[in-house]
Amino acid sequence: MRPSGLCVLLLGGAVEALGAEDALADVLRADGVVAVEPARLSYRAQGRLPAELADALATLQARRLLRVLPATPAAVVVTEPLQYPLARGLLAVVDGCELWYARGERPPGVSARMLRRLAALEEQASRRAALTFPRDGDTAPLWERLRDLGVDIRVSARGASRSAP
């Protein structure tokens, strides 16, 4: 089977901030995996918007992101609950795309309202995720699932530090 899918990692910060022990840094080496850094309006800022407005904004961002990706996503990886609306927007328009949830730590110093929002989004992401994994765990199952989805798992010189435009 010729690889044709893409795995999109939605990051909460810069690619350079990924630690060497992070599972996402490991799979990002694959040619068929791209990282998407946050938009100018951060996920946390979007989380403070009313849910309907945040969802509408995420839908627009998803459409814009799809136009610049080099291939059709086979999997979208969220690394924090506030990314779920963007992932949901991608999943709504890409048939057969899987959601993966890389559980992380909740941000410190958030309001009670934000904690409720995070809990609701985390539950939604967990329920919809085809794959949930810790960011410091074994990456062999991730590589296997990438291969099953038709994502190019070859590691070339350019595969180590790519992000989506």
Side-chain angles (χ1 to χ4, degrees):
M1 175 190 341
R2 186 167 184 245
S4 60
L6 189 68
C7 179
V8 178
L9 305 180
L10 300 179
L11 300 179
V15 161
E16 296 80 21
L18 291 175
E21 70 286 342
D22 195 317
L24 300 178
D26 185 43
V27 297
L28 186 55
R29 297 179 307 124
D31 288 344
V33 178
V34 295
V36 177
E37 295 176 346
R40 282 178 271 184
L41 182 62
S42 71
Y43 292 114
R44 197 163 182 179
Q46 288 179 39
R48 289 191 290 269
L49 297 173
E52 296 81 12
L53 184 58
D55 285 347
L57 179 61
T59 299
L60 290 172
Q61 288 175 324
R63 289 182 186 151
R64 198 169 32 228
L65 179 57
L66 283 172
R67 286 195 296 263
V68 299
L69 290 174
T72 302
V76 176
V77 182
V78 296
T79 59
E80 56 188 71
L82 290 172
Q83 296 168 334
Y84 180 65
L86 175 56
R88 186 173 50 214
L90 292 168
L91 296 170
V93 294
V94 180
D95 289 334
C97 185
E98 290 186 356
L99 175 70
W100 296 3
Y101 185 27
R103 290 188 187 273
E105 307 242 344
R106 286 198 179 158
V110 296
S111 68
R113 179 182 165 275
M114 181 63 83
L115 281 175
R116 287 190 301 275
R117 180 91 180 259
L118 288 170
L121 290 170
E122 185 171 23
E123 181 181 333
Q124 292 170 23
S126 294
R127 264 187 302 174
R128 187 148 185 199
L131 185 62
T132 303
F133 60 94
R135 290 181 60 172
D136 60 353
D138 178 23
T139 60
L142 304 178
W143 287 95
E144 183 177 324
R145 188 67 192 138
L146 287 170
R147 183 177 28 257
D148 292 346
L149 291 173
V151 173
D152 186 355
I153 61 169
R154 294 175 297 174
V155 177
S156 66
R158 66 182 173 86
S161 61
R162 262 184 359 277
S163 61

